[in-house]
Amino acid sequence: MMKFRSLAVSLALLAAPAWAQDLTIGYLRLQETPPPTVSDLDLPPPDLGIAGARLGIEDNATTGRFTGQTYALDLVDIAPGEDIAAAAGPLLERTDLLLVDAPADALLSVTDLPAAADALVFNVAAPDNRLREGDCRANMLHALPSTAMRTDALAQFLVLRRWDELPMVTGGDPADQAFAASIEQSLRKFGLRVGDRKDWRYDTDIRRAATTEMPLFTQEFGRYDALIVADEIHDFARYMLYNTWEPRPIVGSEGLVPTGWHPVVEQWGARQLQNRFLEIAGRAMQPRDYAAWAAIRTLGEAATRTGSAEPEALRDYILGPDFELGGFLGRPLSFRAWNGQMRQPIPLVHPRGLVAQAPLEGFLHPVTELDTLGRDAPETQCTDFSE
């Protein structure tokens, strides 16, 4: 009996990988106070992003049971107004693999810490184009689509439908202004332009007067193909649907919306991911959840393929030509070597269904059509990734 037991132990040791590892991944979240809006229907769930990371850890653990790797999530939650850089220091002493869930400036304060110089940081919350351009960092990768990727997806749809009379209404929040600027750039990129533009500056409760105020506000646009709305904080634009002077589609922040992820995405095995997320979170998966899940899975895939937990080795593999991640969006996900942005298709959705998924047919690229969304290599202003 002892002889057979010794043989079994020997075989188990031979089967175990020689590079068994424990990987701790930090999740650093700066809680934000939502900007004041007319409605509170869109308050973020308390575990936004974190739930996606937890599902990613579970998925990594499934593979890790066969490769000898274990994964743990080290969550650091920071109250609004507190110093995220100060909180990042102790976390960086425990791990050099980080997900940061914070606005752009707070994110940069973490990536620029001396202790983070050799770390690998994933941006899972800040869509700002500048983080992929002049404010890019060599130690920072982006699992959330840039605003430019979303607006390019919308512009492709408008071109395909031949909608070229396109007025725009823009809110006053900085996120609204950034989205509007990106829309204008995307339309120029694909041969269109914004028509008349009006700013929404009302601070009254539009819910009581939408049926009278919205027709008057949009009357001067005349006839058009679609109305673009830049309302990223979801304050006023929801009340424009079915209340415009002309009965026309609304696109942008409401109506037809380009997004990184949505519950209506069900093809390509996405329903399985949606159901597993629902089981652990009790709610639908949102774009920030998907970005956190994709970042965790990226680290897991890279660690499995390289047999390393070192940030430099993982980064080199992730940015290399061999990395691919199944993301349930119909095409493998990968990362752009010139700015660290994750390539992914962009669903174009309304609240009840998927309308299209960009890149759309006819928009060609010499390497991959996914690079028609966002800044391509010849366009980039990011220099930190150049060799």
Side-chain angles (χ1 to χ4, degrees), residues 270-318:
R271 175 47 53 192
Q272 178 194 28
L273 180 65
Q274 304 274 21
N275 288 340
R276 288 192 291 112
F277 183 85
L278 181 63
E279 185 176 345
I280 72 163
R283 60 175 179 81
M285 190 179 225
Q286 298 190 23
R288 195 173 301 187
D289 297 305
Y290 182 81
W293 172 85
I296 296 284
R297 287 291 297 117
T298 293
L299 288 169
E301 180 69 13
T304 298
R305 298 295 181 181
T306 63
S308 175
E310 295 302 317
E312 183 176 3
L314 296 176
R315 180 185 183 275
D316 288 347
Y317 180 75
I318 291 167

Side-chain angles (χ1 to χ4, degrees), residues 85 92 109-119 139:
L92 285 164
S109 73
V110 173
T111 58
D112 291 345
L113 288 171
D118 297 323
N139 59 344

Side-chain angles (χ1 to χ4, degrees), residues 27-36 42-50 76-84 100-107 123-128 130-131 144 173-175 232-233 286 288:
Y27 193 108
L28 186 63
R29 181 175 74 163
L30 179 60
Q31 298 179 33
E32 299 179 70
T33 302
D42 299 306
L43 291 177
D47 61 349
L48 181 63
I50 296 171
V76 176
D77 226 356
I78 306 160
E82 292 188 2
D83 186 353
I84 188 173
V100 178
D101 183 339
D105 289 338
L107 170 61
N123 165 28
V124 299
D128 309 54
R130 65 184 176 96
L131 293 176
L144 190 79
D173 189 85
E232 290 293 272
I233 65 171
Q286 298 190 23
R288 195 173 301 187

Side-chain angles (χ1 to χ4, degrees), residues 219-231:
Q219 182 178 7
E220 65 187 68
F221 287 142
R223 297 191 65 84
Y224 54 87
D225 294 316
L227 176 62
I228 301 172
V229 291
D231 178 22

